Amino acid sequence: MSFSTGPEAVIADGVVGVFHYHLTDDEGTVLDSTRGEDPMAYLHGRGAMIEGLERALTGRAAGETFTVRVEAADAYGALVDAPEQKVRKNQFPKDFPIEVGQMVPLEGEGGAPLNVWISEIKGAWVTLTRNHPLAGQALNFEVHVVGTRPASADELKHGHAHGLDGSHSHGH
Ligand code: ZN
């Protein structure tokens, strides 16, 4: 691995942070976890992480472990009181992964991006909601910082991390 695993560098803007997380709700139900998987790599300061988690990661060094409870407002937001929408499965592009919890990027008024999520699939019909699956919930993270590294020029230009060591290439 080509990232620093010592305390000499800390997570800051323009730094790629690599960390493991274990996410539970207030009842202790596991919502997501990188345990047994590769850690997460992200470019700090570009909004890749939910606000409350990014803030808690700021200034952390490799080897640090901490827990943070992030209120819904600093995570996926409060529940929005907007009507759900039913659309037919065949309105999706052929290769679109139609699964509950999948985000669907739409365009709102004036072409502004409007993200919705699949909340139900029944027969030929798919229900879309304005609420992220984790909206309205406080999130509890156990975090272990694995390492840090400076972002590459490409990563800074793209605004996101290219995998753990920055070598992950993709089509843009
Ligand atoms: Zn990229």
Side-chain angles (χ1 to χ4, degrees):
M1 293 284 176
S2 60
F3 51 76
S4 163
T5 52
E8 63 278 3
V10 297
I11 295 177
D13 287 356
V15 169
V16 173
V18 180
F19 68 98
H20 273 292
Y21 68 91
H22 190 68
L23 170 60
T24 55
D25 64 16
D26 281 345
E27 280 71 51
T29 304
V30 179
L31 301 172
D32 197 7
S33 182
T34 59
R35 285 180 186 168
E37 295 174 13
D38 277 346
M40 163 81 84
Y42 80 105
L43 176 55
H44 191 81
R46 300 299 185 92
M49 293 292 131
I50 59 168
E51 207 180 316
L53 181 57
E54 187 151 38
R55 200 183 308 139
L57 282 159
T58 307
R60 302 284 182 174
E64 277 194 65
T65 297
F66 63 93
T67 61
V68 60
R69 182 175 185 276
V70 179
E71 297 290 347
D74 291 330
Y76 293 100
L79 286 168
V80 179
D81 188 15
E84 294 192 323
Q85 208 185 337
K86 282 198 189 337
V87 295
R88 284 194 161 273
K89 264 186 192 167
N90 62 15
Q91 287 180 261
F92 287 86
K94 271 206 163 50
D95 56 352
F96 193 87
I98 302 177
E99 291 161 20
V100 170
Q102 173 67 43
M103 197 254 279
V104 184
L106 299 180
E107 273 187 11
E109 271 176 57
L114 174 72
N115 294 335
V116 298
W117 286 266
I118 296 176
S119 59
E120 195 181 48
I121 302 164
K122 236 181 193 168
W125 294 90
V126 175
T127 306
L128 301 174
T129 170
R130 289 276 303 279
N131 289 301
H132 184 281
L134 298 178
Q137 288 195 51
L139 303 178
N140 300 282
F141 289 93
E142 285 174 54
V143 176
H144 173 70
V145 180
V146 177
T148 63
R149 61 174 173 79
S152 69
D154 262 3
E155 288 175 320
L156 290 171
K157 202 165 71 185
H158 289 184
H160 55 230
H162 288 163
L164 295 179
D165 61 4
S167 66
H168 176 77
S169 60
H170 60 99
H172 67 252

